[in-house]
Amino acid sequence: ERIHLSNLINFGILPLTFVNPDDYNKIEKGDQIEIINLLKSIEEGKNIIIRDKTKNIEVFTECKLSERQKQIIFAGGILNYVSSQAK
């Protein structure tokens, strides 16, 4: 599980998990979604709200990241992060 999490972060992909596991089945392929206040939520360690505009519902996700992992995500992945640190 930790390797999978690290791989997502290293590629700049947010490892979101549903706060309520039952919400997993609410969003379907083809639904138009919007992520509300993403950067601010990550910075503050708050739940990330995903609004399904197709069904007019909101689901809550969480993204538990260390400060270093946040920096990697904000840089767009480990390669960008490392190259920005080398400058």
Side-chain angles (χ1 to χ4, degrees), residues 4-52:
H4 180 66
L5 177 69
S6 294
N7 285 339
L8 289 173
I9 293 167
N10 288 341
F11 283 101
I13 300 170
L14 281 176
L16 299 177
T17 56
F18 289 96
V19 172
N20 178 357
D22 293 335
D23 288 342
Y24 176 81
N25 293 316
K26 291 182 179 177
I27 298 174
E28 299 177 299
K29 180 179 177 181
D31 286 359
Q32 184 179 14
I33 62 168
E34 174 182 30
I35 301 176
I36 310 300
N37 296 321
L38 178 63
L39 296 179
K40 183 177 179 183
S41 297
I42 292 171
E43 287 172 351
E44 296 176 0
K46 294 184 177 180
N47 286 340
I48 297 167
I49 302 169
I50 298 177
R51 180 177 297 140
D52 185 322

Side-chain angles (χ1 to χ4, degrees), residues 43-67:
E43 287 172 351
E44 296 176 0
K46 294 184 177 180
N47 286 340
I48 297 167
I49 302 169
I50 298 177
R51 180 177 297 140
D52 185 322
K53 295 172 77 174
T54 304
K55 296 184 178 109
N56 197 30
I57 59 171
E58 290 182 349
V59 296
F60 295 87
T61 62
E62 58 187 6
C63 186
K64 297 178 181 176
L65 300 171
S66 69
E67 287 304 313

